[in-house]
Amino acid sequence: MLLPSSKGLAQEVLPTPVTPIPSASIPTDGLFFADIVVRGQPVFQIGSVSDVSATQRAQIVNRRIASILAQPQAGRTVTVVPDAARGIATLQLNNRVLMTVTQQDVQDFNLPVETLAQQWADQLNRAFEQPPLAIDVGQRLYSTLRQFQRDIIDNLPSFLGALLALVVTLLLAISVRRLTLLGAQHWEVDHNSKVLVSRLGYGGVWVVGAIVALGVLGLDFATLLGTLGLTSVALGFGLRDIISNYFSGIILLASRPFRLGDQIAIKEFEGTVTQIQLRATTIKTYDGRVVYIPNQEVFTATIVNNTICTFRRNSIMVGIDYNTDITRAKQIINDAIIKVEGVESDPKPEILLRELAPSTVNIEVRCWVNSRRLPFLETTSLIAQAIKEALQQAGIEMPTDIYTVRLRNLPTISDNHRVNSEL
């Protein structure tokens, strides 16, 4: 609001209130008091008048002060010009009205109009003076601390709620980490993998707790979750292979298709499991090589576990002459393999006629032996040797030109030349 000046300059025009302004006439969309600012520092506060809110009134005054400070420093002295007839006073600088002190200001601050106007003029004059660097820094620091103190007092319930959420998060995170370490004791993985799983649980609880704490402080949950979702998508896209390996490792640890020491076959690799990590599974092959297979490939591949059961069935094919008594030959073979150390008596060995070849009658010998590779091969070798010796002692002819002993269910079926060399 502007008052016409006798000097014809644009001035702040305000009505002359002679009675207290009803509360219904005070604007409700602005502050009741707002800061007058000089060089970014609040100097004093003014209230609302009539239909002008305190914020709007302070913006008008601050804009005039800023325009004065933008000009070269010369004669910056604020004077008080009282208007006794209207019961107001104006603060002027070089014949330019900065603001008007009204009766509403008198009621707000409970001071006479001239006293209040002079007090504000003195504060503006002190603020207009260029302070030394140390004083300016001190004033700014004091103002910042004061504003920080006000914010803390205003937001004290939110701070206490966020602090309580963080304390609860800390207790839950510690509990989850300890429970994870305790539950991972039966996992057949290295210690570093157990610690990593516990840290993942610990960090996950902290992420949820931080979101809750920020929500208590007043931040929007939807914005937080959206930001977290976008971040997760970006990280997941960039580290999809690594993350896939770790998640596959966790699933493998939970499902446990094999354990440490098991002899397994994955794709073209076969050997003994020596280490199960979250990222990869380590296999030591039978020829002494160490293979690290990413858990993503292990999870999607067909796994053959040769030692998940203590015993497995072996099969040997023996060819005899057509003139041989088959029943007698079967009995001789059965008596021979029962005496071999390592052959299980229950289930009993099975002697079956399987094939009438062009030159031989092929008999399949089935028996159960230790499923570990070395005992399996050793027992297979002993069985073949015992069968040959028993048939020869009984005078049963095994044609030398077509003689064959075929072994089945070997650990590596596609590598028979290596098996024969080991036999």
Side-chain angles (χ1 to χ4, degrees):
M1 301 293 292
L2 300 177
L3 264 178
S5 173
S6 59
K7 299 182 180 182
L9 298 175
Q11 298 181 354
E12 186 181 18
V13 180
L14 293 171
T16 307
V18 295
T19 59
I21 300 176
S23 59
S25 64
I26 299 177
T28 59
D29 57 347
L31 299 173
F32 287 101
F33 292 93
D35 292 331
I36 299 300
V37 180
V38 177
R39 296 191 182 94
Q41 303 299 318
V43 179
F44 57 85
Q45 290 185 325
I46 58 176
S48 58
V49 293
S50 185
D51 293 333
V52 180
S53 68
T55 301
Q56 295 171 342
R57 186 183 178 195
Q59 289 175 349
I60 296 174
V61 178
N62 289 333
R63 185 168 60 248
R64 295 176 181 176
I65 293 174
S67 65
I68 292 174
L69 294 176
Q71 299 174 1
Q73 183 176 359
R76 290 181 183 173
T77 302
V78 180
T79 58
V80 177
V81 179
D83 188 347
R86 302 176 62 187
I88 61 175
T90 57
L91 302 184
Q92 300 183 8
L93 178 62
N94 297 332
N95 295 327
R96 180 179 179 180
V97 176
L98 294 181
M99 63 175 296
T100 302
V101 183
T102 66
Q103 287 294 318
Q104 183 62 49
D105 296 322
V106 171
Q107 296 177 11
D108 290 339
F109 295 94
N110 196 24
L111 289 174
V113 61
E114 294 184 4
T115 302
L116 181 60
Q118 188 61 49
Q119 178 178 330
W120 286 353
D122 295 339
Q123 291 175 341
L124 286 175
N125 287 327
R126 288 194 298 268
F128 284 157
E129 296 177 0
Q130 186 67 33
L133 179 61
I135 297 177
D136 186 35
V137 171
Q139 289 178 348
R140 292 177 182 272
L141 181 60
Y142 172 76
S143 176
T144 302
L145 293 177
R146 182 183 176 187
Q147 185 64 35
F148 181 70
Q149 180 183 4
R150 291 177 180 175
D151 293 340
I152 289 179
I153 294 175
D154 294 339
N155 299 315
L156 185 59
S158 299
F159 288 144
L160 292 177
L163 180 61
L164 179 61
L166 292 177
V167 171
V168 174
T169 301
L170 176 62
L171 296 177
L172 288 177
I174 294 176
S175 301
V176 168
R177 181 172 60 184
R178 291 181 178 177
L179 290 175
T180 304
L181 284 175
L182 183 62
Q185 295 302 321
H186 67 280
W187 292 359
E188 296 180 346
V189 296
D190 59 326
H191 178 71
N192 292 333
S193 297
K194 297 178 183 178
V195 173
L196 179 59
V197 172
S198 66
R199 289 179 178 176
L200 288 176
Y202 183 84
V205 174
W206 266 112
V207 169
V208 176
I211 293 176
V212 174
L214 292 175
V216 173
L217 287 176
L219 297 181
D220 188 8
F221 266 111
T223 303
L224 290 174
L225 293 177
T227 304
L228 182 61
L230 292 176
T231 304
S232 301
V233 170
L235 290 176
F237 182 78
L239 305 174
R240 58 185 182 276
D241 292 335
I242 298 176
I243 295 176
S244 177
N245 283 329
Y246 279 104
F247 274 102
S248 299
I250 294 175
I251 296 175
L252 288 175
L253 289 174
S255 59
R256 305 180 73 183
F258 51 82
R259 302 181 181 182
L260 289 178
D262 283 355
Q263 295 178 343
I264 64 175
I266 301 176
K267 294 184 176 180
E268 69 272 20
F269 305 108
E270 183 176 354
T272 304
V273 179
T274 59
Q275 196 173 30
I276 304 174
Q277 298 177 325
L278 288 179
R279 191 194 69 83
T281 298
T282 305
I283 295 178
K284 185 176 182 180
T285 61
Y286 299 127
D287 54 359
R289 296 177 298 171
V290 177
V291 181
Y292 299 91
I293 307 176
N295 283 332
Q296 182 180 4
E297 297 183 12
V298 176
F299 181 71
T300 57
T302 300
I303 302 173
V304 179
N305 194 331
N306 294 318
T307 56
I308 193 171
C309 297
T310 306
F311 302 100
R312 58 173 165 159
R313 194 181 68 183
N314 192 3
S315 179
I316 299 176
M317 193 72 70
V318 180
I320 62 175
D321 190 82
Y322 266 87
N323 297 323
T324 304
D325 185 350
I326 297 178
T327 303
R328 178 169 173 264
K330 291 171 60 177
Q331 184 62 42
I332 292 173
I333 294 174
N334 183 75
D335 295 339
I337 64 176
I338 288 178
K339 299 177 182 178
V340 176
E341 183 180 0
V343 176
E344 294 296 315
S345 58
D346 187 20
K348 295 180 180 181
E350 298 176 350
I351 315 297
L352 304 174
L353 178 61
R354 291 300 304 271
E355 184 180 9
L356 298 176
S359 301
T360 59
V361 176
N362 295 332
I363 298 176
E364 183 180 8
V365 180
R366 296 178 179 177
C367 56
W368 291 82
V369 297
N370 193 310
S371 61
R372 307 294 297 182
R373 177 181 174 82
L374 183 58
F376 185 90
L377 293 177
E378 290 177 345
T379 306
T380 301
S381 176
L382 293 175
I383 292 173
Q385 182 179 349
I387 291 175
K388 179 181 178 182
E389 294 176 352
L391 292 177
Q392 287 179 347
Q393 291 177 2
I396 298 177
E397 183 178 355
M398 301 177 65
T400 56
D401 56 338
I402 55 173
Y403 166 74
T404 178
V405 177
R406 286 185 289 175
L407 309 180
R408 297 183 179 179
N409 298 329
L410 291 176
T412 307
I413 300 174
S414 62
D415 199 7
N416 288 329
H417 67 278
R418 188 178 69 202
V419 174
N420 293 333
S421 66
E422 293 179 356
L423 286 177

